[in-house]
């Protein structure tokens, strides 16, 4: 079989191996593929892998040899899965490969908001400590988390692991989710509705999928219901936040700090409002990217391909 990877660099910038896929056919890996070269590069390949490169209905019509599309991510909106189904093309994704890594990164964002370790280290390197009249100094308020409440919007796998780490730090959890698992509730964790979560949380962390009902869930109205000086974390999807509203809340002091690993348009645009916000930490969508996590993603992608070849395809999103 001919196998084409349209945008392999993010998943594997050189520290992993494509050998698992090479067992099943001739593999061609492109680091990135611009829109005008998608059809040409797919050619007569039967197997196509993509992360963020779109595979549209018109592409499927221009590449009739395609039988299987593997998305190297959990979200598969870059592929017209409905059009693929109509043509008998299977589309698979990679579920649940980065749960621990994303939860860990979320807590790292929170701890950075609480202590501003990077900024204080930079001040030391620039000589502020050697010039200090006192044995210590701090240029930002420092925050202790024990006894505070974290509200988690979206209590799936990542939200649950984030909660466990937060509880280990002495925090209490309020969870808002479409589905409730009663066994997860305890003295330090319980389900609630969105309004109570907004009103009682010291920290709000987003872990819900991007759906019509969750798009812009953090906005001027919901921020107004929050505690003063609340901290907001987002390692899920950028459009969950109305960025202009968050910027205004940060600059006014209503929101004490925000840390986001995702924004509304990626790569980030120079006119993104959060670039003008006070007390805002922004990282370039890397919560999922530890080597261990990417290796797990690669392993699942190979397993998906193996299952397809055996006639027992797994993780299919357009059955």
């Amino acid at each position: 079989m001919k196998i084409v990877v349209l945008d392999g660099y993010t998943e594997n910038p050189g520290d992993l191996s494509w050998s698992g896929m090479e067992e099943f056919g001739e593999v061609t890996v492109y680091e990135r593929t611009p829109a005008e070269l998608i059809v040409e590069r797919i050619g007569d390949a039967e197997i196509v892998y993509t992360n963020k490169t779109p595979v549209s209905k018109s592409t499927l019509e221009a590449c009739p040899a395609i039988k299987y599309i593997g998305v190297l991510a959990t979200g598969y909106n870059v592929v017209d899965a409905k059009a693929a189904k109509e043509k008998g093309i299977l589309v698979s994704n990679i579920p649940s490969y980065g749960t621990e890594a994303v939860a860990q990164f979320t807590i790292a964002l929170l701890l950075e908001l609480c202590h501003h370790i990077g900024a204080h280290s930079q001040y030391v390197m620039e000589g502020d400590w050697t010039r200090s009249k006192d044995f210590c100094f701090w240029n930002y308020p420092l925050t202790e988390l024990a006894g505070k409440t974290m509200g988690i919007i979206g209590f799936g796998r990542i939200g649950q692991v984030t909660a466990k780490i937060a509880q280990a730090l002495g925090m209490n959890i309020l969870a808002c989710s479409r589905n409730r698992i009663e066994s997860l509730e305890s003295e330090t964790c319980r389900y609630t509705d969105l309004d109570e979560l907004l009103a009682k949380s010291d920290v709000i962390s987003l872990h819900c999928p991007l759906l019509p009902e969750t798009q812009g869930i953090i906005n001027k109205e919901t921020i107004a219901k929050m505690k003063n000086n609340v901290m907001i974390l987002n390692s899920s999807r950028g459009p969950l936040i109305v960025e202009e509203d968050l910027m205004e809340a940060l600059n006014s002091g209503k929101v004490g700090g925000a840390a986001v690993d995702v924004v509304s348009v990626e790569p980030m645009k120079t006119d993104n409002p959060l670039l003008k916000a006070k007390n805002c930490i922004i990282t370039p969508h890397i919560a999922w990217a530890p080597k261990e996590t990417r290796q797990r993603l690669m392993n699942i992608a190979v397993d998906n391909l193996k299952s397809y070849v055996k006639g027992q395809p797994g993780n299919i999103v357009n059955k």
Side-chain angles (χ1 to χ4, degrees):
M1 296 186 296
K2 287 189 176 180
I3 303 169
V4 170
V5 182
L6 292 173
D7 50 1
Y9 183 82
T10 305
E11 155 63 6
N12 178 16
D15 55 354
L16 303 178
S17 171
W18 298 102
S19 59
M21 292 183 185
E22 291 169 352
E23 295 179 13
F24 298 94
E26 174 189 339
V27 180
T28 302
V29 180
Y30 297 99
E31 291 190 348
R32 303 167 189 86
T33 296
E36 65 272 15
L37 293 180
I38 294 173
V39 171
E40 176 185 331
R41 288 185 172 180
I42 291 175
D44 60 352
E46 178 180 336
I47 310 294
V48 176
Y49 280 96
T50 181
N51 187 322
K52 295 296 184 287
T53 301
V55 181
S56 64
K57 182 177 181 179
S58 61
T59 295
L60 297 175
E61 291 173 347
C63 303
I66 298 176
K67 296 293 187 293
Y68 173 90
I69 300 171
V71 181
L72 297 172
T74 301
Y76 54 90
N77 57 298
V78 295
V79 177
D80 190 330
K82 181 180 178 181
K85 181 178 180 180
E86 292 171 355
K87 292 182 174 297
I89 299 169
L90 298 176
V91 180
S92 72
N93 72 338
I94 314 289
S96 305
Y97 67 90
T99 300
E100 289 77 12
V102 176
Q104 173 183 308
F105 196 89
T106 301
I107 298 299
L109 291 176
L110 175 58
L111 293 175
E112 183 64 18
L113 278 179
C114 290
H115 300 289
H116 296 275
I117 292 170
H120 283 104
S121 176
Q122 185 62 35
Y123 293 137
V124 170
M125 297 299 181
E126 292 172 354
D128 286 25
W129 202 8
T130 59
R131 293 189 294 268
S132 176
K133 296 179 180 179
D134 304 304
F135 75 95
C136 69
F137 72 93
W138 55 91
N139 291 346
Y140 292 90
L142 306 178
T143 302
E144 181 179 286
L145 291 171
K148 289 186 168 55
T149 297
M150 173 182 281
I152 299 180
I153 302 177
F155 209 52
R157 294 183 183 90
I158 297 174
Q160 292 167 29
V161 175
T162 301
K164 288 181 181 179
I165 304 173
Q167 286 170 292
L169 294 172
M171 301 188 75
N172 298 304
I173 305 299
L174 292 175
C176 180
S177 182
R178 292 179 299 175
N179 302 309
R180 297 191 175 198
I181 304 173
E182 292 183 3
S183 61
L184 296 176
E185 293 194 299
S186 66
E187 291 183 2
T188 58
C189 178
R190 66 179 176 89
Y191 287 99
T192 187
D193 59 30
L194 182 60
D195 281 344
E196 184 183 13
L197 184 150
L198 295 172
K200 294 185 176 180
S201 297
D202 301 291
V203 178
I204 294 175
S205 190
L206 301 176
H207 297 286
C208 51
L210 179 61
L211 301 169
E213 59 266 31
T214 60
Q215 183 166 349
I217 195 169
I218 302 300
N219 57 57
K220 188 173 297 185
E221 288 72 28
T222 54
I223 290 171
K225 297 178 181 180
M226 298 176 190
K227 286 184 175 183
N228 291 335
N229 209 39
V230 65
M231 291 184 278
I232 297 174
L233 312 173
N234 187 11
S235 54
S236 184
R237 292 291 181 265
L240 296 173
I241 293 175
V242 179
E243 292 165 337
E244 184 78 22
D245 293 353
L246 179 57
M247 176 200 71
E248 292 177 0
L250 284 163
N251 290 344
S252 71
K254 168 66 178 180
V255 174
V260 302
D261 186 49
V262 288
V263 293
S264 57
V265 178
E266 298 173 351
M268 193 177 200
K269 302 300 182 183
T270 57
D271 62 351
N272 189 296
L274 295 181
L275 292 172
K276 299 178 181 178
K278 297 178 182 177
N279 300 322
C280 187
I281 296 168
I282 306 170
T283 52
H285 203 146
I286 55 173
W288 70 281
K291 183 177 180 181
E292 296 88 346
T293 307
R294 290 183 290 106
Q295 183 63 65
R296 189 178 302 116
L297 188 157
M298 180 76 80
N299 294 344
I300 297 171
V302 172
D303 286 343
N304 285 348
L305 179 57
K306 186 181 299 183
S307 298
Y308 164 75
V309 171
K310 289 181 176 180
Q312 301 173 332
N315 296 320
I316 302 301
V317 299
N318 66 336
K319 291 182 180 178

